[in-house]
Structure formats: C-alpha cells, structure tokens
Amino acid sequence: MDIHAIFTPIESELNQVEARLRSEARADFGPLAEVIEAIIESGGKRIRPALVLLSGHLRSVDEEHLLRLATSVEMLHLATLIHDDLLDKALVRRGAPTISSKWSEKATVLAGDFVLAKAAKISAQVQNFAVMSIFADAAMVLCEGEIRQDFNGHGQSTDRAEYYQHIFAKTASLFAACTESAAALSEATLEERNALRTYGHSLGMAFQIIDDVLDFVGTQDEIGKPVGNDLRQGLVTLPTIYFYEQDARRKTLDSLFSHNGHTEQELHQVVEWIRTSPAIQAARDEARQQAEQARRSLEIFPESPYRTALLELAEYVVERKK
Amino acid sequence: MDIHAIFTPIESELNQVEARLRSEARADFGPLAEVIEAIIESGGKRIRPALVLLSGHLRSVDEEHLLRLATSVEMLHLATLIHDDLLDKALVRRGAPTISSKWSEKATVLAGDFVLAKAAKISAQVQNFAVMSIFADAAMVLCEGEIRQDFNGHGQSTDRAEYYQHIFAKTASLFAACTESAAALSEATLEERNALRTYGHSLGMAFQIIDDVLDFVGTQDEIGKPVGNDLRQGLVTLPTIYFYEQDARRKTLDSLFSHNGHTEQELHQVVEWIRTSPAIQAARDEARQQAEQARRSLEIFPESPYRTALLELAEYVVERKK
C-alpha cells in the first residue's frame, strides 16, 4: 500500500500545506530561515497534517482554517524534532545533517523555541480556542512524557504500563490532537469528535508500536538507522518487553542494563534473539488490534473518500516497511 | 522609590496572578511540578504581569481575561528563564539553584518547553486572537535575537545598532507585547494601543540599559552576580560601547577579546576603568531619555491611579539599584 495513493483525496491540500510551511520558514535572520527550510525539506510522511485534513473533511469545514491547522500541527511536530535531535545527539535525520550537528547547543534550543512560537502563531490564525487548547495540552503531555522517561531510568524499564504511557505521550497524544481538533473545527457532533479522538489515539499507538518493531526488523536502508538502535540507546520497547516476559534468555537482557555495561557483541546477540523471536509477531498483533479499534471508531461516519482514506491509513500504518 | 508602592493599585490582582501561577505549576509528574514551583518561587519583580494589569486598566477591560493574560505572560517569561539558565550554564538564580544545575540537559530543555506550552494554553484562555499573535511574535523575536547574537560573535560586537537590536529582542519586545496586548484586550482605541506599545517598548529599552549599567556599578549583593559579569561572559553592553567610543584605553578592550585570551587581572582592570568612566553616566542618560519617551506616550490617557503607576514605573526603572 502506498501512502501517496491513500492521500489522493487531499493531495492538492497537502501541497498547499507544503507551500505554506516553506513560506513560513522565512525568518529575518538568514541562517535561521535556512535551517528551518532544511528540516521541512527532510520531509517525513506529513501524516499529522493529513490526519487533520482527512478528519476535518468528514463533516463540513472551513477550508482556509483547516489548512492553517494542518500547517500549524506540522510546524509543532518539526519543533519537537529539532529538540529531539539535539537531546538524542542525532547527527543525521533522513540522510540530512541535523541542526544540532551544525549549530551550537544554544542556537539549536532557540531554533526549536522559534519554530514552536511559529506554530503557536499559525495556530492562533485558526481562530478557534478549543483547537489551541487541545494542542497546548498535547505539547505538555509530550514534554512531560519525555521528562518522566528521563527520570525513570531513561526508558530502560520493562514495565508495560510505563511503555504505553510513554508512546501515548510521544506519538498518540499528538495524533489524537490532530483528529480531535479537526473535528472541533468542523461541524462534527460531540460524539463524532470523540470518535475521531479515539481514532487518532489508537492509530498513534499502532504507529509507534510498528515504529518500535521496525527498529528491530527493518533494514538500515529502510529505516535510516542501524538495526536495534533503540536498544543500543538503552530504550526498551514492546518487542523487548514481550521477549523479556516470554523468553528464558531474559537474563542476558538484565545484564545488558547492569552497571557493568556490555560489549557490542552482546548487544548484537540480544537484538538478533529478539528479531527472530515470537515477540515481534506479538507486538505486531497488538498494533493490529489498535488499528482495528481505530477503524471501528469511524463506523458512525457515512461513506466518503475521506473516511475510506482514514480506514486505509489504519491498514497502512501496520503494514508499512518503513 | 519602592516598586511595591507603585504597584498598589493592582496589588490584589498581582496576588491573584501569583496564586494562579502556583496552581498552574501543578503537573501530573511530581518532580516537574516541583521545579516549576521553584522557578516561580525565585520571584523576580513580576514587572511583566504588572505592565499587563496597569495598561489594561487604562480603559475598560474584562477583569478575568486580563488576569489570565497577566498569568500567561509571566509563564512565558519563566519558560525563557529556564532555557536561558541552561544555555548560560547558570547554577543559581536569585540565590536558588537553577533547574539546569539539578536536572539533565534533556529534562531542562523539556521543562522549558512544557512551561512554554503551559503559557500558550493559558493564553488561549484569554480568548483573544490578537493577543495570541502579539505574544507569538514577541517569542519569535526573542529567539531570533538570541540566535543572531550567538552567530554574531556571541555579543562581542561594539556596534551600537546591534546592541539596540539585541536589547529590543531580549527585553523591550516582550514589554511592548505586554502593554500592547493589554490594550488590545481593553476598549483602548488604535491610537491608544500604539501609545501603549511605545510605552512598553521604551520602558523595556530603558530597563535593559539600566540592567547593563548595574552589571558594572551594582554590588554583588544587590544584583546577585559578580560585578562585570557580562564582560566576563564576553558580552558587550552600552557602558562598554561608550567606553570604547570615547576612551583611549579601548585598545586593552580589543586585546581582551583577541584570540590570545586575557588574565583575570586584565578583565578586572577594564571593568574598573569602565565603572569609573563617564560611560556609565552616558548610558544612564540614554536610559533616562527612553524613560522620558515612555512617560510622554501616556499623555493621551486621562489621569488615573493606573496611569500614575505607569509614570512612576518609568521613573523607578532608571532609578533602581537592583
């Protein structure tokens, strides 16, 4: 399944969002404009603005305000990427050097803040207070989730509840904000708005679980990172949790995170064990259940190309290879 | 002149802002709530919320919305302090340890982002799009100004235009946003709104120039930092610019910033020269002119306790010892 094909009903609108992002990238200070342009350029699937556009069109909606909302959510997402890359000390994002690899720490933090303020500015132009509030909440959940993880052993916990809480904060919360705020902007009823929030939430959980699976089973070419990168960074995700719960070799995992550290070879071995264990399928099944729940929540909406696209998107999210 | 006496007409409202800040500090995650509480606790003059309250009351205004705006601007200011302390590697703010001195870099960046999102959330509750837009603009100017400085030799330029641009971005822009947005919220005419913007802008310039003067002439007890701290950090401010323009000993200054570095003794000597030179009075005079302009811009408003307070505040800003 090709994501561009799924996005056909909103293709021209997505192009407009792209154009607006680029025109918003302009700043008085040349180098700042350049790095923002570069992070827009580095692309990504634009899944968040697509969620806004598709969800908004399920009911009657003001086209201009919807476009602004879609632009604003992607801008917010880009701001989080700037700070993420800095904090993860990432040098490359999708093949292009990150801002933090080229700029001082100071300038990078401020560039992220600048893009955040830009997102807030565009979001004010949506002229809907509920929308602003939904996004501010999602941004707070996101920050709090990452801080919590930084405190709780930097994501090394094999506690299931902690994992779900973290992927909600990291991904699902913003997905839910996209679909819910689009509903708030449209003439959707409260029931429909809740259904769309559920859709975004479940889709986001599925999306992140699959991201975490691909970290083990994708090829470096497909996912743009070395295989097993999460575990390498000390981050425990769902496949590792399943492995830990079900496989006797869990003891090696314990020693990986012990104070004694581990060799590259040990890490490689554990990644290989997980990659070829039933833990992968178990995690995939969970993602599929979440996607199923996302699809079911759309049942209350009448047939439309937008609804079809959202249904297909839930399929795509669990089938994708990258 | 005592700032608390000046703020008498809005004393109870400032107390309410204080209470709201504290109640907003609550976060689901305990440690996060604690550090936000600490930064609120560390105080400051609350000059920004006071500007909002006094400016708003020059004309008829919705009390509840004005309080929310005042709370939101202080929250935004606190967010900038969290990132500033991190980027300046400051260990102490007003006698209390900074967040960045206790937390990881990651958690500190995210705590600043969280407080920013909180400010945006409260600002959405003001329910005025002009207000939101004014603040997002000020936040962008602030970030861009600091990035620009980071690029332009980290503030070591003795160029006057650069200095003015920087203190506008750093301080005056947010002061102007406070007074202008309060006007936008009230029934002020467009002419009055512009006058209040001018007031905030000029007051902010005066405030920052005096801050920069106090860095030379204040005692460590009064300003909470070692004397000459700016120059020590390599930051050129107005007293240094005057000294550089008017004093033959400027050559020593050049060598301070040369690649060869400098001894503690040389730095101490230059600080002492500037501190006892006419440059200090020249900088003070400039601040006084800005304050005068701020006062003049209020002439179009009728007599009121709020107007009197704003006039006195312009006096206070240049007279203050800390």
Side-chain angles (χ1 to χ4, degrees):
Chain A
M1 213 175 332
D2 175 26
I3 198 162
H4 298 293
I6 298 174
F7 290 164
T8 307
I10 49 165
E11 194 184 339
S12 77
E13 286 169 295
L14 275 177
N15 288 339
Q16 283 189 60
V17 168
E18 203 65 26
R20 286 174 186 219
L21 284 172
R22 276 162 209 277
S23 102
E24 287 290 346
R26 279 179 218 129
D28 285 341
F29 187 54
L32 181 59
E34 253 173 60
V35 295
I36 300 174
E37 180 107 3
I39 191 145
I40 293 171
E41 200 79 45
S42 74
K45 306 184 184 70
R46 304 292 189 239
I47 199 162
R48 292 161 192 82
L51 281 175
V52 166
L53 296 169
L54 292 171
S55 303
H57 282 306
L58 290 182
R59 290 299 181 194
S60 183
V61 70
D62 180 282
E63 171 75 20
E64 174 57 27
H65 285 161
L66 192 66
L67 279 171
R68 290 179 191 169
L69 177 57
T71 309
S72 154
V73 302
E74 187 65 10
M75 202 56 103
L76 173 63
H77 174 59
L78 294 174
T80 66
L81 294 186
I82 296 175
H83 283 178
D84 276 358
D85 285 343
L86 171 73
L87 300 173
D88 295 345
K89 310 203 187 312
L91 301 175
V92 173
R93 171 170 294 276
R94 295 178 187 276
T98 58
I99 299 181
S100 47
S101 72
K102 294 186 294 184
W103 280 19
S104 72
E105 179 200 355
K106 178 165 186 165
T108 308
V109 170
L110 291 164
D113 291 351
F114 180 89
V115 177
L116 260 184
K118 196 89 168 176
K121 165 103 183 174
I122 306 169
S123 136
Q125 291 161 354
V126 177
Q127 311 224 316
N128 184 299
F129 300 116
V131 160
M132 287 235 27
S133 191
I134 292 167
F135 272 96
D137 277 333
M140 283 191 279
V141 166
L142 206 149
C143 297
E144 188 171 313
E146 295 294 322
I147 294 172
R148 198 185 283 265
Q149 189 191 58
D150 195 58
F151 268 73
N152 293 350
H154 310 277
Q156 291 183 9
S157 159
T158 50
D159 183 284
R160 225 162 231 281
E162 263 181 44
Y163 170 75
Y164 294 130
Q165 187 180 44
H166 183 239
I167 66 170
F168 167 68
K170 182 178 177 178
T171 305
S173 157
L174 198 54
F175 274 41
C178 287
T179 51
E180 186 189 0
S181 61
L185 202 58
S186 79
E187 287 172 9
T189 64
L190 191 59
E191 189 198 357
E192 290 168 341
R193 175 170 157 175
N194 286 335
L196 273 169
R197 180 169 178 86
T198 302
Y199 172 87
H201 178 265
S202 301
L203 188 82
M205 297 298 279
F207 185 89
Q208 190 56 51
I209 291 172
I210 294 298
D211 245 28
D212 296 342
V213 166
L214 290 175
D215 190 74
F216 284 99
V217 304
T219 66
Q220 177 154 0
D221 263 11
E222 283 165 349
I223 60 174
K225 295 181 287 196
V227 172
N229 188 56
D230 287 340
L231 210 54
R232 201 175 295 269
Q233 308 275 329
L235 182 66
V236 167
T237 60
L238 195 55
T240 305
I241 292 174
Y242 269 112
F243 179 82
Y244 194 82
E245 288 170 352
Q246 302 176 344
D247 200 295
R249 292 169 292 185
R250 79 172 61 88
K251 281 178 188 155
T252 312
L253 203 60
D254 280 331
S255 73
L256 263 197
F257 293 139
S258 75
H259 287 296
N260 304 324
H262 55 267
T263 64
E264 178 65 24
Q265 214 174 358
E266 282 169 326
L267 183 89
H268 194 79
Q269 176 66 80
V270 172
V271 169
E272 201 47 37
W273 283 344
I274 297 177
R275 176 191 175 82
T276 53
S277 79
I280 295 296
Q281 191 53 47
R284 275 197 197 283
D285 287 346
E286 240 185 78
R288 186 161 296 284
Q289 283 161 27
Q290 288 282 358
E292 210 28 67
Q293 186 169 339
R295 292 167 59 92
R296 270 201 310 277
S297 69
L298 296 181
E299 279 167 10
I300 61 170
F301 291 97
E303 232 314 287
S304 78
Y306 305 109
R307 177 172 173 271
T308 303
L310 286 169
L311 291 171
E312 288 173 356
L313 185 58
E315 193 65 27
Y316 165 82
V317 154
V318 288
E319 296 297 340
R320 71 202 168 96
K321 297 274 177 286
K322 62 179 178 179
Chain B
M1 213 175 332
D2 174 24
I3 198 162
H4 298 292
I6 297 174
F7 290 164
T8 306
I10 49 165
E11 194 182 341
S12 79
E13 286 169 296
L14 275 178
N15 289 339
Q16 282 189 62
V17 169
E18 204 66 23
R20 286 174 186 221
L21 284 173
R22 275 162 210 278
S23 104
E24 287 290 346
R26 279 180 221 130
D28 285 341
F29 187 54
L32 180 58
E34 253 173 59
V35 295
I36 300 175
E37 180 108 1
I39 191 146
I40 292 170
E41 200 79 45
S42 74
K45 306 183 185 71
R46 304 289 189 241
I47 199 163
R48 292 161 192 81
L51 281 175
V52 166
L53 296 168
L54 292 171
S55 303
H57 281 304
L58 290 182
R59 291 298 181 196
S60 183
V61 71
D62 180 279
E63 171 76 19
E64 175 57 26
H65 285 162
L66 192 66
L67 280 171
R68 290 179 192 172
L69 177 57
T71 308
S72 155
V73 304
E74 188 65 10
M75 202 55 102
L76 173 62
H77 174 59
L78 295 174
T80 67
L81 294 186
I82 296 174
H83 282 178
D84 276 359
D85 285 343
L86 172 73
L87 300 173
D88 296 345
K89 310 199 187 315
L91 301 176
V92 173
R93 168 170 299 274
R94 294 177 188 278
T98 58
I99 299 181
S100 47
S101 72
K102 295 186 292 185
W103 278 19
S104 72
E105 179 200 356
K106 178 165 188 164
T108 308
V109 169
L110 291 164
D113 291 351
F114 180 89
V115 177
L116 260 185
K118 197 89 166 173
K121 165 104 184 173
I122 307 169
S123 135
Q125 291 161 353
V126 176
Q127 311 224 315
N128 183 300
F129 301 116
V131 160
M132 286 236 26
S133 191
I134 292 167
F135 272 96
D137 277 332
M140 283 192 278
V141 165
L142 207 150
C143 297
E144 187 170 312
E146 296 295 321
I147 295 172
R148 200 185 281 267
Q149 188 190 59
D150 195 58
F151 268 74
N152 293 349
H154 310 276
Q156 291 184 10
S157 159
T158 49
D159 183 284
R160 224 163 232 279
E162 264 181 44
Y163 171 75
Y164 294 131
Q165 188 180 43
H166 183 241
I167 65 170
F168 166 68
K170 181 179 179 179
T171 305
S173 159
L174 198 55
F175 274 41
C178 288
T179 52
E180 186 189 0
S181 60
L185 202 58
S186 80
E187 287 173 9
T189 64
L190 191 59
E191 188 198 359
E192 290 168 341
R193 175 171 157 175
N194 286 335
L196 273 170
R197 181 168 178 86
T198 301
Y199 173 86
H201 178 265
S202 301
L203 188 82
M205 296 298 278
F207 185 90
Q208 190 55 51
I209 291 172
I210 294 297
D211 245 26
D212 296 342
V213 166
L214 290 175
D215 189 74
F216 283 99
V217 304
T219 65
Q220 177 155 359
D221 264 9
E222 282 166 348
I223 59 173
K225 296 181 288 196
V227 171
N229 188 55
D230 286 340
L231 211 53
R232 202 175 294 269
Q233 308 276 328
L235 183 66
V236 167
T237 60
L238 196 54
T240 305
I241 292 175
Y242 269 113
F243 180 83
Y244 194 82
E245 288 170 352
Q246 301 175 345
D247 201 296
R249 292 169 292 184
R250 78 173 61 87
K251 280 176 189 156
T252 312
L253 202 60
D254 280 330
S255 73
L256 263 197
F257 292 139
S258 75
H259 287 295
N260 303 324
H262 55 264
T263 65
E264 178 65 25
Q265 212 173 357
E266 281 168 326
L267 183 91
H268 195 80
Q269 176 65 80
V270 171
V271 169
E272 200 49 36
W273 283 343
I274 296 177
R275 176 191 173 83
T276 52
S277 77
I280 296 296
Q281 191 53 45
R284 275 197 197 282
D285 287 346
E286 240 185 77
R288 186 160 296 285
Q289 282 160 28
Q290 288 282 359
E292 210 27 68
Q293 186 169 339
R295 292 167 59 92
R296 270 200 311 275
S297 69
L298 297 181
E299 279 167 10
I300 62 170
F301 290 97
E303 231 316 285
S304 79
Y306 305 108
R307 179 171 171 271
T308 303
L310 287 169
L311 291 171
E312 287 173 358
L313 185 59
E315 193 67 26
Y316 165 82
V317 153
V318 289
E319 297 296 341
R320 72 204 168 95
K321 297 275 179 284
K322 62 180 178 176

